[in-house]
Short mmCIF file of all heavy atoms in Angstrom, two decimals:
data_model
loop_
_atom_site.label_atom_id
_atom_site.label_comp_id
_atom_site.label_asym_id
_atom_site.label_seq_id
_atom_site.Cartn_x
_atom_site.Cartn_y
_atom_site.Cartn_z
N SER A 296 15.05 -24.80 -1.89
CA SER A 296 14.22 -23.88 -1.12
C SER A 296 14.82 -22.49 -1.18
O SER A 296 16.00 -22.32 -1.43
CB SER A 296 14.09 -24.38 0.32
OG SER A 296 15.08 -23.89 1.15
N SER A 297 13.99 -21.50 -0.96
CA SER A 297 14.42 -20.10 -1.01
C SER A 297 13.99 -19.38 0.26
O SER A 297 13.01 -19.76 0.89
CB SER A 297 13.78 -19.40 -2.21
OG SER A 297 14.17 -20.02 -3.41
N GLN A 298 14.73 -18.33 0.59
CA GLN A 298 14.41 -17.54 1.77
C GLN A 298 14.60 -16.07 1.42
O GLN A 298 15.59 -15.69 0.79
CB GLN A 298 15.31 -17.93 2.94
CG GLN A 298 14.99 -17.17 4.21
CD GLN A 298 15.87 -17.63 5.36
OE1 GLN A 298 16.61 -18.60 5.25
NE2 GLN A 298 15.77 -16.92 6.46
N LEU A 299 13.65 -15.23 1.84
CA LEU A 299 13.72 -13.80 1.61
C LEU A 299 13.57 -13.10 2.95
O LEU A 299 12.62 -13.38 3.69
CB LEU A 299 12.60 -13.36 0.67
CG LEU A 299 12.41 -11.84 0.50
CD1 LEU A 299 13.62 -11.23 -0.19
CD2 LEU A 299 11.14 -11.55 -0.28
N GLU A 300 14.50 -12.23 3.28
CA GLU A 300 14.43 -11.44 4.51
C GLU A 300 14.44 -9.97 4.15
O GLU A 300 15.28 -9.52 3.36
CB GLU A 300 15.61 -11.75 5.43
CG GLU A 300 15.58 -13.15 6.00
CD GLU A 300 16.71 -13.41 6.97
OE1 GLU A 300 17.27 -12.44 7.51
OE2 GLU A 300 17.04 -14.59 7.17
N LEU A 301 13.49 -9.21 4.72
CA LEU A 301 13.40 -7.77 4.49
C LEU A 301 13.71 -7.04 5.78
O LEU A 301 13.23 -7.43 6.85
CB LEU A 301 12.00 -7.39 4.00
CG LEU A 301 11.56 -8.01 2.68
CD1 LEU A 301 10.10 -7.70 2.40
CD2 LEU A 301 12.43 -7.52 1.54
N SER A 302 14.50 -5.98 5.70
CA SER A 302 14.82 -5.17 6.88
C SER A 302 13.63 -4.29 7.25
O SER A 302 12.82 -3.91 6.40
CB SER A 302 16.02 -4.27 6.58
OG SER A 302 17.14 -5.03 6.24
N ASN A 303 13.52 -3.97 8.53
CA ASN A 303 12.51 -3.01 8.96
C ASN A 303 12.86 -1.65 8.38
O ASN A 303 14.03 -1.31 8.21
CB ASN A 303 12.46 -2.91 10.48
CG ASN A 303 11.93 -4.17 11.12
OD1 ASN A 303 11.15 -4.88 10.52
ND2 ASN A 303 12.35 -4.45 12.32
N SER A 304 11.85 -0.85 8.09
CA SER A 304 12.11 0.48 7.53
C SER A 304 10.97 1.43 7.87
O SER A 304 9.89 1.00 8.29
CB SER A 304 12.28 0.40 6.01
OG SER A 304 11.08 -0.02 5.41
N PHE A 305 11.22 2.72 7.68
CA PHE A 305 10.22 3.75 7.86
C PHE A 305 10.05 4.46 6.53
O PHE A 305 10.99 4.56 5.74
CB PHE A 305 10.66 4.77 8.92
CG PHE A 305 10.64 4.22 10.31
CD1 PHE A 305 11.77 3.64 10.85
CD2 PHE A 305 9.49 4.28 11.07
CE1 PHE A 305 11.77 3.13 12.13
CE2 PHE A 305 9.47 3.76 12.35
CZ PHE A 305 10.61 3.19 12.88
N GLY A 306 8.87 4.98 6.29
CA GLY A 306 8.63 5.71 5.06
C GLY A 306 7.54 6.73 5.23
O GLY A 306 6.83 6.76 6.25
N ALA A 307 7.40 7.58 4.24
CA ALA A 307 6.37 8.62 4.27
C ALA A 307 5.07 8.07 3.70
O ALA A 307 5.07 7.19 2.84
CB ALA A 307 6.83 9.81 3.45
N ALA A 308 3.96 8.61 4.19
CA ALA A 308 2.64 8.23 3.68
C ALA A 308 1.82 9.50 3.47
O ALA A 308 1.93 10.45 4.23
CB ALA A 308 1.94 7.30 4.66
N LEU A 309 1.02 9.49 2.42
CA LEU A 309 0.16 10.62 2.10
C LEU A 309 -1.25 10.10 1.92
O LEU A 309 -1.45 9.06 1.26
CB LEU A 309 0.63 11.30 0.81
CG LEU A 309 -0.31 12.30 0.18
CD1 LEU A 309 -0.34 13.58 1.02
CD2 LEU A 309 0.11 12.61 -1.24
N GLU A 310 -2.22 10.78 2.50
CA GLU A 310 -3.62 10.41 2.31
C GLU A 310 -4.44 11.66 2.08
O GLU A 310 -4.28 12.66 2.78
CB GLU A 310 -4.17 9.68 3.55
CG GLU A 310 -5.64 9.37 3.43
CD GLU A 310 -6.23 8.78 4.70
OE1 GLU A 310 -5.51 8.62 5.69
OE2 GLU A 310 -7.44 8.48 4.68
N VAL A 311 -5.28 11.64 1.07
CA VAL A 311 -6.24 12.71 0.81
C VAL A 311 -7.58 12.07 0.49
O VAL A 311 -7.64 10.94 0.00
CB VAL A 311 -5.80 13.64 -0.35
CG1 VAL A 311 -4.55 14.40 0.01
CG2 VAL A 311 -5.60 12.87 -1.62
N GLY A 312 -8.65 12.78 0.79
CA GLY A 312 -9.97 12.24 0.51
C GLY A 312 -11.05 13.25 0.77
O GLY A 312 -10.80 14.35 1.27
N PHE A 313 -12.28 12.86 0.43
CA PHE A 313 -13.41 13.73 0.69
C PHE A 313 -14.68 12.91 0.89
O PHE A 313 -14.78 11.77 0.44
CB PHE A 313 -13.60 14.75 -0.44
CG PHE A 313 -14.09 14.14 -1.73
CD1 PHE A 313 -15.45 14.05 -1.99
CD2 PHE A 313 -13.21 13.68 -2.68
CE1 PHE A 313 -15.91 13.49 -3.17
CE2 PHE A 313 -13.66 13.12 -3.86
CZ PHE A 313 -15.01 13.03 -4.11
N ASP A 314 -15.64 13.51 1.55
CA ASP A 314 -16.99 12.98 1.71
C ASP A 314 -17.94 14.00 1.10
O ASP A 314 -17.77 15.21 1.30
CB ASP A 314 -17.35 12.80 3.19
CG ASP A 314 -16.50 11.74 3.86
OD1 ASP A 314 -16.47 10.62 3.35
OD2 ASP A 314 -15.88 12.06 4.88
N TYR A 315 -18.94 13.53 0.35
CA TYR A 315 -19.90 14.44 -0.26
C TYR A 315 -21.29 13.85 -0.09
O TYR A 315 -21.56 12.73 -0.52
CB TYR A 315 -19.58 14.63 -1.75
CG TYR A 315 -20.52 15.58 -2.43
CD1 TYR A 315 -20.45 16.95 -2.20
CD2 TYR A 315 -21.49 15.12 -3.31
CE1 TYR A 315 -21.32 17.83 -2.82
CE2 TYR A 315 -22.36 15.98 -3.94
CZ TYR A 315 -22.27 17.34 -3.69
OH TYR A 315 -23.13 18.21 -4.29
N LYS A 316 -22.16 14.62 0.53
CA LYS A 316 -23.54 14.19 0.76
C LYS A 316 -24.38 14.63 -0.44
O LYS A 316 -24.59 15.82 -0.67
CB LYS A 316 -24.06 14.80 2.06
CG LYS A 316 -25.28 14.15 2.59
CD LYS A 316 -25.56 14.66 3.99
CE LYS A 316 -26.72 13.92 4.61
NZ LYS A 316 -26.99 14.39 5.96
N ILE A 317 -24.85 13.66 -1.22
CA ILE A 317 -25.62 13.94 -2.43
C ILE A 317 -27.05 14.31 -2.08
O ILE A 317 -27.59 15.30 -2.57
CB ILE A 317 -25.58 12.73 -3.39
CG1 ILE A 317 -24.13 12.47 -3.82
CG2 ILE A 317 -26.47 12.95 -4.61
CD1 ILE A 317 -23.93 11.20 -4.60
N THR A 318 -27.67 13.48 -1.25
CA THR A 318 -29.02 13.76 -0.74
C THR A 318 -28.98 13.54 0.77
O THR A 318 -27.93 13.26 1.34
CB THR A 318 -30.07 12.82 -1.37
OG1 THR A 318 -29.85 11.48 -0.91
CG2 THR A 318 -30.02 12.86 -2.89
N GLU A 319 -30.13 13.63 1.40
CA GLU A 319 -30.21 13.41 2.85
C GLU A 319 -29.74 12.00 3.23
O GLU A 319 -29.21 11.78 4.31
CB GLU A 319 -31.65 13.64 3.33
CG GLU A 319 -31.83 13.60 4.82
CD GLU A 319 -31.12 14.74 5.55
OE1 GLU A 319 -30.94 15.82 4.97
OE2 GLU A 319 -30.72 14.51 6.71
N ASN A 320 -29.94 11.02 2.31
CA ASN A 320 -29.62 9.63 2.62
C ASN A 320 -28.51 9.01 1.79
O ASN A 320 -28.12 7.87 2.05
CB ASN A 320 -30.88 8.76 2.47
CG ASN A 320 -31.96 9.16 3.42
OD1 ASN A 320 -32.79 10.00 3.09
ND2 ASN A 320 -31.96 8.61 4.61
N ILE A 321 -28.01 9.69 0.79
CA ILE A 321 -26.99 9.11 -0.08
C ILE A 321 -25.74 9.98 -0.06
O ILE A 321 -25.81 11.20 -0.19
CB ILE A 321 -27.51 8.96 -1.52
CG1 ILE A 321 -28.71 8.00 -1.54
CG2 ILE A 321 -26.41 8.44 -2.45
CD1 ILE A 321 -29.39 7.90 -2.88
N ALA A 322 -24.57 9.32 0.10
CA ALA A 322 -23.30 10.03 0.14
C ALA A 322 -22.24 9.24 -0.61
O ALA A 322 -22.40 8.04 -0.85
CB ALA A 322 -22.85 10.25 1.58
N ILE A 323 -21.18 9.92 -1.01
CA ILE A 323 -20.04 9.25 -1.61
C ILE A 323 -18.78 9.67 -0.86
O ILE A 323 -18.72 10.73 -0.25
CB ILE A 323 -19.89 9.55 -3.12
CG1 ILE A 323 -19.70 11.04 -3.37
CG2 ILE A 323 -21.05 9.00 -3.91
CD1 ILE A 323 -19.34 11.38 -4.80
N ASN A 324 -17.82 8.78 -0.91
CA ASN A 324 -16.52 9.04 -0.28
C ASN A 324 -15.45 8.57 -1.26
O ASN A 324 -15.59 7.52 -1.87
CB ASN A 324 -16.41 8.28 1.05
CG ASN A 324 -15.00 8.26 1.58
OD1 ASN A 324 -14.19 7.43 1.18
ND2 ASN A 324 -14.69 9.17 2.48
N ALA A 325 -14.40 9.35 -1.40
CA ALA A 325 -13.27 8.95 -2.23
C ALA A 325 -11.99 9.26 -1.47
O ALA A 325 -11.89 10.28 -0.79
CB ALA A 325 -13.29 9.68 -3.57
N SER A 326 -11.01 8.35 -1.55
CA SER A 326 -9.74 8.53 -0.86
C SER A 326 -8.60 8.03 -1.75
O SER A 326 -8.80 7.16 -2.60
CB SER A 326 -9.70 7.74 0.46
OG SER A 326 -10.69 8.21 1.34
N TYR A 327 -7.42 8.58 -1.51
CA TYR A 327 -6.22 8.18 -2.22
C TYR A 327 -5.08 8.09 -1.21
O TYR A 327 -4.94 8.96 -0.35
CB TYR A 327 -5.88 9.22 -3.30
CG TYR A 327 -4.48 9.09 -3.85
CD1 TYR A 327 -4.16 8.11 -4.77
CD2 TYR A 327 -3.48 9.96 -3.43
CE1 TYR A 327 -2.88 8.00 -5.27
CE2 TYR A 327 -2.19 9.85 -3.92
CZ TYR A 327 -1.90 8.87 -4.83
OH TYR A 327 -0.62 8.75 -5.32
N TRP A 328 -4.28 7.01 -1.30
CA TRP A 328 -3.12 6.83 -0.43
C TRP A 328 -1.90 6.59 -1.29
O TRP A 328 -1.95 5.86 -2.28
CB TRP A 328 -3.29 5.61 0.48
CG TRP A 328 -4.36 5.72 1.49
CD1 TRP A 328 -4.27 6.23 2.75
CD2 TRP A 328 -5.70 5.26 1.35
NE1 TRP A 328 -5.47 6.13 3.39
CE2 TRP A 328 -6.38 5.53 2.55
CE3 TRP A 328 -6.42 4.65 0.33
CZ2 TRP A 328 -7.70 5.23 2.75
CZ3 TRP A 328 -7.74 4.34 0.53
CH2 TRP A 328 -8.37 4.63 1.75
N TYR A 329 -0.79 7.19 -0.87
CA TYR A 329 0.51 6.93 -1.48
C TYR A 329 1.47 6.63 -0.33
O TYR A 329 1.52 7.37 0.65
CB TYR A 329 1.02 8.13 -2.28
CG TYR A 329 2.47 7.99 -2.67
CD1 TYR A 329 2.84 7.17 -3.72
CD2 TYR A 329 3.47 8.66 -1.98
CE1 TYR A 329 4.17 7.03 -4.09
CE2 TYR A 329 4.80 8.53 -2.33
CZ TYR A 329 5.14 7.72 -3.38
OH TYR A 329 6.46 7.58 -3.73
N ILE A 330 2.23 5.56 -0.45
CA ILE A 330 3.16 5.16 0.60
C ILE A 330 4.53 4.93 -0.03
O ILE A 330 4.64 4.21 -1.03
CB ILE A 330 2.68 3.87 1.30
CG1 ILE A 330 1.27 4.07 1.84
CG2 ILE A 330 3.62 3.47 2.42
CD1 ILE A 330 0.42 2.87 1.80
N SER A 331 5.54 5.55 0.52
CA SER A 331 6.91 5.40 0.02
C SER A 331 7.66 4.44 0.94
O SER A 331 7.87 4.74 2.11
CB SER A 331 7.63 6.75 0.00
OG SER A 331 8.95 6.59 -0.41
N ILE A 332 8.02 3.28 0.42
CA ILE A 332 8.69 2.25 1.21
C ILE A 332 10.01 1.88 0.55
O ILE A 332 10.04 1.57 -0.64
CB ILE A 332 7.81 0.98 1.32
CG1 ILE A 332 6.45 1.32 1.91
CG2 ILE A 332 8.52 -0.09 2.14
CD1 ILE A 332 5.45 0.20 1.80
N GLU A 333 11.10 1.95 1.30
CA GLU A 333 12.41 1.49 0.83
C GLU A 333 13.01 0.60 1.91
O GLU A 333 12.97 0.94 3.09
CB GLU A 333 13.33 2.67 0.55
CG GLU A 333 12.89 3.50 -0.64
CD GLU A 333 13.89 4.57 -0.98
OE1 GLU A 333 15.11 4.30 -0.88
OE2 GLU A 333 13.45 5.67 -1.34
N THR A 334 13.54 -0.54 1.50
CA THR A 334 14.12 -1.47 2.45
C THR A 334 15.23 -2.28 1.77
O THR A 334 15.39 -2.21 0.55
CB THR A 334 13.05 -2.40 3.06
OG1 THR A 334 13.63 -3.15 4.13
CG2 THR A 334 12.47 -3.35 2.04
N ASP A 335 15.96 -3.04 2.55
CA ASP A 335 16.99 -3.92 2.01
C ASP A 335 16.49 -5.36 2.08
O ASP A 335 15.82 -5.75 3.04
CB ASP A 335 18.28 -3.80 2.82
CG ASP A 335 18.90 -2.42 2.67
OD1 ASP A 335 18.86 -1.88 1.55
OD2 ASP A 335 19.41 -1.88 3.66
N ALA A 336 16.80 -6.13 1.05
CA ALA A 336 16.38 -7.53 0.98
C ALA A 336 17.60 -8.43 0.88
O ALA A 336 18.54 -8.14 0.13
CB ALA A 336 15.46 -7.75 -0.21
N ASP A 337 17.58 -9.52 1.64
CA ASP A 337 18.59 -10.56 1.56
C ASP A 337 17.90 -11.83 1.07
O ASP A 337 16.90 -12.27 1.64
CB ASP A 337 19.24 -10.82 2.93
CG ASP A 337 20.02 -9.61 3.41
OD1 ASP A 337 20.73 -9.01 2.59
OD2 ASP A 337 19.91 -9.28 4.61
N ILE A 338 18.44 -12.41 0.00
CA ILE A 338 17.83 -13.57 -0.63
C ILE A 338 18.82 -14.73 -0.59
O ILE A 338 20.00 -14.57 -0.93
CB ILE A 338 17.47 -13.26 -2.10
CG1 ILE A 338 16.58 -12.01 -2.15
CG2 ILE A 338 16.80 -14.44 -2.78
CD1 ILE A 338 16.68 -11.25 -3.44
N THR A 339 18.33 -15.89 -0.16
CA THR A 339 19.13 -17.11 -0.15
C THR A 339 18.34 -18.19 -0.88
O THR A 339 17.16 -18.40 -0.59
CB THR A 339 19.43 -17.57 1.30
OG1 THR A 339 20.05 -16.50 2.00
CG2 THR A 339 20.32 -18.79 1.31
N ALA A 340 18.98 -18.85 -1.84
CA ALA A 340 18.30 -19.89 -2.62
C ALA A 340 19.21 -21.10 -2.76
O ALA A 340 20.41 -20.97 -2.98
CB ALA A 340 17.91 -19.36 -3.98
N GLN A 341 18.62 -22.26 -2.63
CA GLN A 341 19.33 -23.52 -2.85
C GLN A 341 19.13 -23.91 -4.31
O GLN A 341 18.00 -24.07 -4.76
CB GLN A 341 18.79 -24.61 -1.92
CG GLN A 341 19.46 -25.96 -2.09
CD GLN A 341 20.92 -25.93 -1.65
OE1 GLN A 341 21.24 -25.42 -0.59
NE2 GLN A 341 21.79 -26.48 -2.47
N THR A 342 20.23 -24.02 -5.05
CA THR A 342 20.15 -24.41 -6.46
C THR A 342 20.95 -25.69 -6.68
O THR A 342 21.61 -26.19 -5.76
CB THR A 342 20.73 -23.29 -7.37
OG1 THR A 342 22.15 -23.21 -7.16
CG2 THR A 342 20.08 -21.95 -7.08
N ASN A 343 20.92 -26.20 -7.90
CA ASN A 343 21.71 -27.38 -8.24
C ASN A 343 23.20 -27.10 -8.11
O ASN A 343 24.00 -28.01 -7.88
CB ASN A 343 21.39 -27.85 -9.66
CG ASN A 343 20.01 -28.44 -9.75
OD1 ASN A 343 19.44 -28.87 -8.76
ND2 ASN A 343 19.45 -28.44 -10.96
N ALA A 344 23.60 -25.83 -8.26
CA ALA A 344 25.01 -25.45 -8.15
C ALA A 344 25.41 -25.13 -6.71
O ALA A 344 26.56 -24.81 -6.45
CB ALA A 344 25.27 -24.23 -9.04
N GLY A 345 24.47 -25.18 -5.79
CA GLY A 345 24.75 -24.87 -4.39
C GLY A 345 23.92 -23.70 -3.91
O GLY A 345 22.96 -23.29 -4.55
N VAL A 346 24.32 -23.15 -2.78
CA VAL A 346 23.58 -22.03 -2.18
C VAL A 346 23.99 -20.74 -2.87
O VAL A 346 25.17 -20.45 -3.04
CB VAL A 346 23.84 -21.95 -0.66
CG1 VAL A 346 23.17 -20.73 -0.07
CG2 VAL A 346 23.36 -23.22 0.03
N VAL A 347 23.00 -19.95 -3.27
CA VAL A 347 23.23 -18.65 -3.88
C VAL A 347 22.64 -17.58 -2.96
O VAL A 347 21.51 -17.71 -2.51
CB VAL A 347 22.57 -18.56 -5.28
CG1 VAL A 347 22.73 -17.18 -5.88
CG2 VAL A 347 23.12 -19.63 -6.20
N GLN A 348 23.45 -16.54 -2.67
CA GLN A 348 22.99 -15.46 -1.81
C GLN A 348 23.12 -14.14 -2.55
O GLN A 348 24.06 -13.94 -3.32
CB GLN A 348 23.82 -15.41 -0.52
CG GLN A 348 23.61 -16.63 0.36
CD GLN A 348 24.42 -16.54 1.64
OE1 GLN A 348 25.53 -16.05 1.65
NE2 GLN A 348 23.84 -17.03 2.72
N ALA A 349 22.16 -13.25 -2.30
CA ALA A 349 22.18 -11.92 -2.93
C ALA A 349 21.53 -10.92 -1.99
O ALA A 349 20.68 -11.28 -1.18
CB ALA A 349 21.44 -11.95 -4.26
N SER A 350 21.95 -9.67 -2.11
CA SER A 350 21.35 -8.57 -1.36
C SER A 350 21.01 -7.47 -2.34
O SER A 350 21.73 -7.24 -3.32
CB SER A 350 22.31 -8.03 -0.30
OG SER A 350 22.57 -9.01 0.67
N THR A 351 19.91 -6.79 -2.09
CA THR A 351 19.50 -5.71 -2.97
C THR A 351 18.66 -4.71 -2.20
O THR A 351 18.14 -5.01 -1.13
CB THR A 351 18.71 -6.25 -4.19
OG1 THR A 351 18.49 -5.18 -5.11
CG2 THR A 351 17.38 -6.84 -3.78
N SER A 352 18.52 -3.53 -2.75
CA SER A 352 17.65 -2.50 -2.20
C SER A 352 16.30 -2.62 -2.90
O SER A 352 16.25 -2.80 -4.12
CB SER A 352 18.25 -1.12 -2.45
OG SER A 352 17.42 -0.11 -1.93
N VAL A 353 15.23 -2.52 -2.14
CA VAL A 353 13.88 -2.68 -2.69
C VAL A 353 13.11 -1.39 -2.46
O VAL A 353 13.07 -0.87 -1.34
CB VAL A 353 13.14 -3.86 -2.03
CG1 VAL A 353 11.74 -4.00 -2.59
CG2 VAL A 353 13.92 -5.15 -2.20
N LYS A 354 12.48 -0.88 -3.51
CA LYS A 354 11.65 0.31 -3.41
C LYS A 354 10.24 -0.05 -3.85
O LYS A 354 10.04 -0.54 -4.97
CB LYS A 354 12.22 1.43 -4.28
CG LYS A 354 11.46 2.72 -4.17
CD LYS A 354 12.16 3.82 -4.94
CE LYS A 354 11.38 5.11 -4.76
NZ LYS A 354 11.99 6.22 -5.50
N ILE A 355 9.28 0.15 -2.96
CA ILE A 355 7.88 -0.15 -3.24
C ILE A 355 7.09 1.13 -2.97
O ILE A 355 7.13 1.66 -1.87
CB ILE A 355 7.36 -1.28 -2.34
CG1 ILE A 355 8.25 -2.50 -2.45
CG2 ILE A 355 5.92 -1.62 -2.67
CD1 ILE A 355 8.00 -3.54 -1.39
N ASP A 356 6.40 1.64 -3.97
CA ASP A 356 5.62 2.86 -3.81
C ASP A 356 4.17 2.63 -4.26
O ASP A 356 3.76 3.05 -5.34
CB ASP A 356 6.24 4.00 -4.64
CG ASP A 356 7.62 4.38 -4.16
OD1 ASP A 356 7.88 4.26 -2.95
OD2 ASP A 356 8.44 4.80 -4.97
N PRO A 357 3.37 1.96 -3.43
CA PRO A 357 2.00 1.67 -3.84
C PRO A 357 1.10 2.91 -3.83
O PRO A 357 1.26 3.82 -3.03
CB PRO A 357 1.53 0.65 -2.81
CG PRO A 357 2.35 0.93 -1.60
CD PRO A 357 3.67 1.40 -2.11
N HIS A 358 0.16 2.91 -4.77
CA HIS A 358 -0.91 3.91 -4.84
C HIS A 358 -2.21 3.15 -4.62
O HIS A 358 -2.45 2.13 -5.27
CB HIS A 358 -0.95 4.57 -6.22
CG HIS A 358 0.29 5.31 -6.58
ND1 HIS A 358 0.41 6.66 -6.42
CD2 HIS A 358 1.47 4.89 -7.09
CE1 HIS A 358 1.62 7.05 -6.81
NE2 HIS A 358 2.28 5.98 -7.22
N ALA A 359 -3.03 3.62 -3.71
CA ALA A 359 -4.31 2.94 -3.43
C ALA A 359 -5.45 3.95 -3.58
O ALA A 359 -5.34 5.10 -3.15
CB ALA A 359 -4.30 2.37 -2.02
N TYR A 360 -6.53 3.51 -4.22
CA TYR A 360 -7.70 4.34 -4.45
C TYR A 360 -8.91 3.67 -3.80
O TYR A 360 -9.01 2.45 -3.79
CB TYR A 360 -7.96 4.51 -5.94
CG TYR A 360 -6.78 5.02 -6.70
CD1 TYR A 360 -5.84 4.15 -7.24
CD2 TYR A 360 -6.59 6.38 -6.88
CE1 TYR A 360 -4.74 4.61 -7.94
CE2 TYR A 360 -5.50 6.86 -7.58
CZ TYR A 360 -4.58 5.97 -8.11
OH TYR A 360 -3.49 6.44 -8.80
N PHE A 361 -9.84 4.48 -3.32
CA PHE A 361 -10.99 3.95 -2.62
C PHE A 361 -12.18 4.85 -2.93
O PHE A 361 -12.12 6.06 -2.72
CB PHE A 361 -10.69 3.96 -1.11
CG PHE A 361 -11.72 3.35 -0.23
CD1 PHE A 361 -11.92 1.99 -0.21
CD2 PHE A 361 -12.49 4.14 0.61
CE1 PHE A 361 -12.85 1.42 0.64
CE2 PHE A 361 -13.41 3.58 1.45
CZ PHE A 361 -13.60 2.22 1.47
N VAL A 362 -13.26 4.29 -3.48
CA VAL A 362 -14.48 5.05 -3.77
C VAL A 362 -15.65 4.27 -3.21
O VAL A 362 -15.77 3.06 -3.43
CB VAL A 362 -14.66 5.26 -5.29
CG1 VAL A 362 -15.96 6.00 -5.57
CG2 VAL A 362 -13.48 6.01 -5.87
N VAL A 363 -16.51 4.97 -2.46
CA VAL A 363 -17.63 4.31 -1.78
C VAL A 363 -18.90 5.13 -1.98
O VAL A 363 -18.87 6.36 -1.88
CB VAL A 363 -17.37 4.16 -0.27
CG1 VAL A 363 -18.59 3.64 0.45
CG2 VAL A 363 -16.19 3.27 -0.02
N ALA A 364 -19.99 4.46 -2.25
CA ALA A 364 -21.32 5.08 -2.21
C ALA A 364 -22.00 4.51 -0.96
O ALA A 364 -21.92 3.31 -0.69
CB ALA A 364 -22.12 4.74 -3.46
N SER A 365 -22.64 5.36 -0.19
CA SER A 365 -23.26 4.88 1.05
C SER A 365 -24.69 5.40 1.20
O SER A 365 -25.05 6.45 0.66
CB SER A 365 -22.42 5.28 2.27
OG SER A 365 -22.25 6.68 2.31
N TYR A 366 -25.48 4.60 1.90
CA TYR A 366 -26.85 4.99 2.23
C TYR A 366 -26.89 5.27 3.73
O TYR A 366 -26.49 4.45 4.53
CB TYR A 366 -27.82 3.84 1.88
CG TYR A 366 -29.25 4.24 2.15
CD1 TYR A 366 -29.96 5.00 1.23
CD2 TYR A 366 -29.89 3.84 3.32
CE1 TYR A 366 -31.26 5.38 1.46
CE2 TYR A 366 -31.20 4.21 3.55
CZ TYR A 366 -31.87 4.98 2.65
OH TYR A 366 -33.16 5.36 2.88
N LEU A 367 -27.36 6.45 4.08
CA LEU A 367 -27.42 6.87 5.48
C LEU A 367 -28.81 6.67 6.04
O LEU A 367 -29.80 7.06 5.41
CB LEU A 367 -27.01 8.35 5.59
CG LEU A 367 -25.68 8.71 4.90
CD1 LEU A 367 -25.50 10.22 4.83
CD2 LEU A 367 -24.53 8.06 5.63
N PHE A 368 -28.89 6.07 7.20
CA PHE A 368 -30.19 5.83 7.85
C PHE A 368 -30.57 6.98 8.72
O PHE A 368 -29.79 7.65 9.31
CB PHE A 368 -30.13 4.55 8.70
CG PHE A 368 -29.95 3.32 7.85
CD1 PHE A 368 -28.67 2.81 7.64
CD2 PHE A 368 -31.02 2.69 7.27
CE1 PHE A 368 -28.48 1.68 6.87
CE2 PHE A 368 -30.83 1.56 6.52
CZ PHE A 368 -29.56 1.04 6.30
#
């Protein structure tokens, strides 16, 4: 069996976007998010040779995109 523990952390986030009304009833929206996440990970695994433990720094920087077409009533 394996176990992964991640430390709590804080990071910066950026969001930009826009709304554009094409006609009286049709609009589009686009957004972009970037999140900077850094944390420490502790890993424990049971192997045939016994218990193996490791620690490492983890950096996750996801980019998310969002595009929507909408109909307005």
Side-chain angles (χ1 to χ4, degrees):
S296 90
S297 299
Q298 182 177 352
L299 171 66
E300 292 184 21
L301 299 172
S302 300
N303 292 332
S304 64
F305 289 92
L309 168 73
E310 176 186 1
V311 294
F313 70 91
D314 295 305
Y315 181 73
K316 196 169 185 179
I317 298 172
T318 68
E319 187 65 29
N320 297 91
I321 298 174
I323 60 171
N324 167 276
S326 298
Y327 165 77
W328 294 271
Y329 168 77
I330 304 146
S331 177
I332 304 168
E333 292 186 38
T334 189
D335 294 321
D337 295 317
I338 305 153
T339 304
Q341 179 67 47
T342 69
N343 290 338
V346 175
V347 176
Q348 294 181 323
S350 295
T351 188
S352 180
V353 179
K354 184 174 182 181
I355 306 167
D356 295 329
H358 299 262
Y360 305 89
F361 185 71
V362 178
V363 173
S365 57
Y366 183 81
L367 309 169
F368 293 95

